[in-house]
Amino acid sequence: MARERAELLTVRQVLEELGGISRRTFYRWRELRIAPHCIRLPNGELRVRRDVLNAWLEDHAEGAA
């Protein structure tokens, strides 16, 4: 059975998806543990899975329960 490969977004792509927030804001959210969960690659770069970002956005939508 073939396993689907999750789309991994760079921090830059996540910033664009979030309407162009600053890198500083994103890293501050990470410090506060309110940013979407990231994966740290062996080279130190961060990635965010597309499904994790979408779920995070749903959780933070206005009127979300």
Side-chain angles (χ1 to χ4, degrees):
M1 193 152 61
R3 186 173 173 212
E4 283 191 42
R5 196 169 165 184
E7 181 183 3
L8 297 177
L9 303 172
T10 64
V11 171
R12 179 177 295 198
Q13 289 171 317
V14 172
L15 299 179
E16 290 172 6
E17 289 272 334
L18 297 177
I21 66 164
S22 72
R23 184 174 290 270
R24 179 175 172 86
T25 296
F26 181 78
Y27 281 98
R28 179 69 178 145
W29 288 354
R30 281 186 42 84
E31 288 175 12
L32 296 172
R33 298 186 182 274
I34 59 174
H37 180 74
C38 297
I39 298 168
R40 185 173 300 279
L41 300 177
N43 64 2
E45 293 182 9
L46 297 176
R47 296 290 185 271
V48 177
R49 288 179 31 187
R50 164 67 67 190
D51 59 334
V52 170
L53 178 61
N54 289 342
W56 183 85
L57 288 170
E58 281 295 318
D59 288 346
H60 290 83
E62 286 257 338

